[in-house]
């Protein structure tokens, strides 16, 4: 009798396990997991948390995330690696690309169409109208009528970050003009603190130069010089003044700046070592990652003299043709779909320090700096004061950008450099690179 009972239990267990296995098969996704590999240079604390948002959302769809991060805030090292991968016939799923480089990769035949996703997600109707205008004017997301890239973040570059504690100790006033900046910097220096945190990398030099140029030239002449590439404007007396003011900044930077990364410069503000930093609002992602509070632990104000103007950096992810399987191609399409969804735009921007580029994304929970950035963006758009950041390669080719950065960085590193000669060299360098 016992054997019969045991045997019945075994048979029943076998049937139950068979039913369970069948249910597992039924509940499995109708597609196999794919792998996505995204080349980017988002490697600081705040940026890494932002990337984790994208990784989590891809893995929630059942895909594998293969990180392909190349350190270096300017992206030059990443572009070198990308070219090697592409030439060898093994490009990544997607890469952080900008400006005219997207068109160049398209002409070379490396990019894939995202039209199917764009149609399903109604991309033509989801972007903020001001962002839509930017991507159309600069040809940032389409090649030959095909969607090949997705805009991800909008950053304000002309921010001055301030440590209010040091300002109070030094008796300094938050500056609104370059003249006031130097007065504050002198007081801070006299109090024993570093006035301006800076990293001695060429792209950081260019970011500082760009901020000074916007302050001295104004939005219209800035665009004439660095978007239209007007050679007369590039060698003008106004540009000589830009170099003169830029050189003056050097005396407020500590001698150990050479080779310092931008996020290490931001940490100097957090640790009461420096009073100010001129950097895009990705710096805010670092403050956020350390639980610092905007308006209390740090302040954000426009670079002195650039009130009402907005120099922007728009990050885009560009998609490459794959020589892999259907699963990887599906994963690639899912990646493109995620980037412009409301939840991703909101979560990513909170960590990254940027502002969402999609319509109707709630800004509840965003700090005062982000809210100020969105307000400044819309104001500048209405007043013809939106300008693309040349230091982040939006409006020019990589060759032109490299030529500008080379002249700027060499000038900044040479204490005896002549501002007038620098302006002449700038014009000549741009002409040669065009």
């Amino acid at each position: 009798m016992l054997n019969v009972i045991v045997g019945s239990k075994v048979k029943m267990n076998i049937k139950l396990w068979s039913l369970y296995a069948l249910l597992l098969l039924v509940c499995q996704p109708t597609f196999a997991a794919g792998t996505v590999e995204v080349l980017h240079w988002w490697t600081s604390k705040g940026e890494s948390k932002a990337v984790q948002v994208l990784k989590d959302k891809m893995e929630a769809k059942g895909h594998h995330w293969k990180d392909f991060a190349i350190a270096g805030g300017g992206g030059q090292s990443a572009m070198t690696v990308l070219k090697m991968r592409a030439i060898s016939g093994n490009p990544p799923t997607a890469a952080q690309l900008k400006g005219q480089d997207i068109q160049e990769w398209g002409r070379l035949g490396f990019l894939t169409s995202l039209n199917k996703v764009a149609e399903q997600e109604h991309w033509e109707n989801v972007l903020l109208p001001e962002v839509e205008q930017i991507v159309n004017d600069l040809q940032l997301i389409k090649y030959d009528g095909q969607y090949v890239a997705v805009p991800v973040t909008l950053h304000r570059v002309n921010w001055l970050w301030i440590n209010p504690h040091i300002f109070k100790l030094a008796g300094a006033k938050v500056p609104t003009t370059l003249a006031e900046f130097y007065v504050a910097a002198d007081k801070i220096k006299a109090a024993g603190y570093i006035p301006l945190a800076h990293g001695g990398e060429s792209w950081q030099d260019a970011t500082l130069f760009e901020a000074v140029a916007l302050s001295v030239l104004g939005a219209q002449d800035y665009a004439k010089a660095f978007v239209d590439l007007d050679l007369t404007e590039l060698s003008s007396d106004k540009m000589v003044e830009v170099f003169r003011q830029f050189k003056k900044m050097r005396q407020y930077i500590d001698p150990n700046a050479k080779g310092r990364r931008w996020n290490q410069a931001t940490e100097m503000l957090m640790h009461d070592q420096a009073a100010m930093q001129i950097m895009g609002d990705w710096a805010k992602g670092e403050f956020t990652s350390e639980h610092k509070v905007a308006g209390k632990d740090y302040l954000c104000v426009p670079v002195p003299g650039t009130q009402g103007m907005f120099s922007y950096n728009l990050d885009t992810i560009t998609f490459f043709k794959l020589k892999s399987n259907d699963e990887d191609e599906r994963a690639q399409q899912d990646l493109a779909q995620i980037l412009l969804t409301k939840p991703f735009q909101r979560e990513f921007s909170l960590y990254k320090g940027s502002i969402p580029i999609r319509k109707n994304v709630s800004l509840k929970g965003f700090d005062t700096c982000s809210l100020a950035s969105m307000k400044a963006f819309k104001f500048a758009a209405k007043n013809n004061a939106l300008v693309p950041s040349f230091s982040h390669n939006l409006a020019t080719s990589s060759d032109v950008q490299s030529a500008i950065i080379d002249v700027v960085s060499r000038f900044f590193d040479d204490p005896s450099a002549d501002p007038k000669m620098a302006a002449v060299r700038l014009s000549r360098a741009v002409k040669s690179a065009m």
Side-chain angles (χ1 to χ4, degrees):
M1 186 67 179
L2 181 61
N3 289 337
V4 173
I5 292 173
V6 172
S8 297
K9 286 183 177 180
V10 170
K11 287 178 181 178
M12 185 175 289
N13 285 338
I14 290 173
K15 287 181 179 179
L16 286 172
W17 278 109
S18 298
L19 180 59
Y20 178 65
L22 180 61
L23 285 171
L24 282 177
L25 287 172
V26 171
C27 294
Q28 284 296 314
T30 56
F31 63 92
T35 297
V36 291
E37 186 180 25
V38 181
L39 174 62
H40 63 89
W41 51 91
W42 293 323
T43 57
S44 70
K45 283 183 181 179
E47 291 172 330
S48 295
K49 288 183 177 181
V51 171
Q52 187 66 41
V53 172
L54 183 55
K55 178 182 177 182
D56 290 345
K57 289 189 180 300
M58 284 302 295
E59 290 182 344
K61 282 183 172 284
H63 300 303
H64 301 300
W65 176 273
K66 186 177 180 182
D67 204 37
F68 191 7
I70 306 292
Q76 291 91 341
S77 298
M79 290 304 96
T80 300
V81 174
L82 177 60
K83 288 173 184 176
M84 292 173 60
R85 284 281 301 268
I87 290 171
S88 67
N90 182 35
T93 307
Q96 189 180 348
L97 280 178
K98 296 179 182 178
Q100 292 183 19
D101 285 351
I102 296 172
Q103 299 301 307
E104 182 61 28
W105 283 100
R107 284 190 288 271
L108 293 172
F110 282 102
L111 305 184
T112 194
S113 174
L114 303 174
N115 278 12
K116 185 177 179 181
V117 179
E119 184 177 348
Q120 290 173 345
E121 297 295 312
H122 308 289
W123 283 357
E124 71 278 6
N125 295 320
V126 302
L127 294 177
L128 292 171
E130 299 88 352
V131 174
E132 183 75 36
Q133 187 69 47
I134 289 170
V135 298
N136 288 338
D137 288 349
L138 299 182
Q139 296 182 298
L140 296 182
I141 60 175
K142 285 184 179 180
Y143 173 74
D144 196 24
Q146 302 287 310
Y147 283 95
V148 294
V150 184
V152 182
T153 62
L154 180 72
H155 289 284
R156 189 183 195 184
V157 182
N158 59 312
W159 274 125
L160 174 67
W161 305 95
I162 287 175
N163 178 315
H165 180 232
I166 292 179
F167 262 69
K168 185 176 180 180
L169 291 175
K173 176 186 172 185
V174 174
T176 59
T177 65
L178 286 179
E180 290 178 1
F181 174 90
Y182 302 133
V183 171
D186 285 334
K187 287 186 176 182
I188 291 161
K189 197 171 184 178
Y193 295 97
I194 298 168
L196 186 62
H198 185 68
E201 297 175 309
S202 59
W203 75 269
Q204 292 189 64
D205 294 341
T207 300
L208 179 58
F209 176 83
E210 174 181 293
V212 174
L214 187 60
S215 180
V216 173
L217 299 175
Q220 304 310 311
D221 285 344
Y222 172 96
K224 210 171 167 185
F226 299 110
V227 179
D228 300 336
L229 302 179
D230 185 304
L231 300 180
T232 302
E233 189 70 36
L234 286 166
S235 59
S236 67
D237 289 342
K238 279 188 175 182
M239 193 61 69
V240 174
E241 180 63 13
V242 172
F243 276 101
R244 193 179 75 80
Q245 296 290 340
F246 178 54
K247 187 174 186 178
K248 200 169 180 180
M249 292 277 179
R250 196 73 184 83
Q251 63 187 300
Y252 300 113
I253 296 169
D254 69 292
N256 298 319
K258 196 68 179 174
R260 179 186 293 142
R261 292 184 178 175
W262 69 267
N263 52 308
Q264 293 174 321
T266 305
E267 288 173 3
M268 293 170 68
L269 268 70
M270 288 191 271
H271 299 151
D272 286 346
Q273 296 170 348
M276 296 179 282
Q277 181 186 18
I278 292 176
M279 185 55 60
D281 55 17
W282 47 91
K284 189 169 70 68
E286 301 307 292
F287 289 116
T288 301
S289 71
E290 294 297 325
H291 309 291
K292 301 297 182 182
V293 179
K296 177 187 173 185
D297 300 314
Y298 65 95
L299 307 178
C300 54
V301 298
V303 168
T306 70
Q307 294 86 340
M309 293 176 267
F310 193 109
S311 62
Y312 61 85
N313 176 27
L314 188 73
D315 283 318
T316 49
I317 300 295
T318 305
F319 288 71
F320 286 76
K321 288 180 181 177
L322 300 178
K323 292 183 179 178
S324 51
N325 52 46
D326 292 342
E327 290 78 16
D328 288 349
E329 289 180 0
R330 183 183 177 103
Q332 184 183 58
Q333 297 291 305
D334 283 347
L335 173 64
Q337 182 269 330
I338 284 172
L339 293 173
L340 279 178
T341 58
K342 289 182 184 179
F344 173 77
Q345 280 286 308
R346 176 178 164 77
E347 293 171 47
F348 190 85
S349 296
L350 281 168
Y351 284 119
K352 189 71 162 55
S354 54
I355 53 178
I357 58 173
R358 180 178 169 134
K359 295 176 184 174
N360 302 321
V361 174
S362 172
L363 296 182
K364 184 178 180 181
F366 280 73
D367 61 34
T368 55
C369 291
S370 290
L371 297 176
S373 186
M374 181 64 85
K375 184 178 180 180
F377 174 63
K378 291 184 175 292
F379 178 86
K382 287 180 181 178
N383 292 278
N384 200 27
L386 276 180
V387 294
S389 167
F390 78 77
S391 63
H392 293 87
N393 197 26
L394 279 182
T396 64
S397 67
S398 292
D399 289 341
V400 170
Q401 182 207 30
S402 295
I404 295 173
I405 289 178
D406 184 60
V407 172
V408 166
S409 198
R410 285 176 182 270
F411 172 84
F412 205 51
D413 288 341
D414 182 1
S416 62
D418 176 36
K420 189 171 183 178
M421 183 55 66
V424 172
R425 286 174 179 160
L426 179 63
S427 182
R428 289 175 179 172
V430 169
K431 183 179 180 180
S432 298
M434 289 168 65

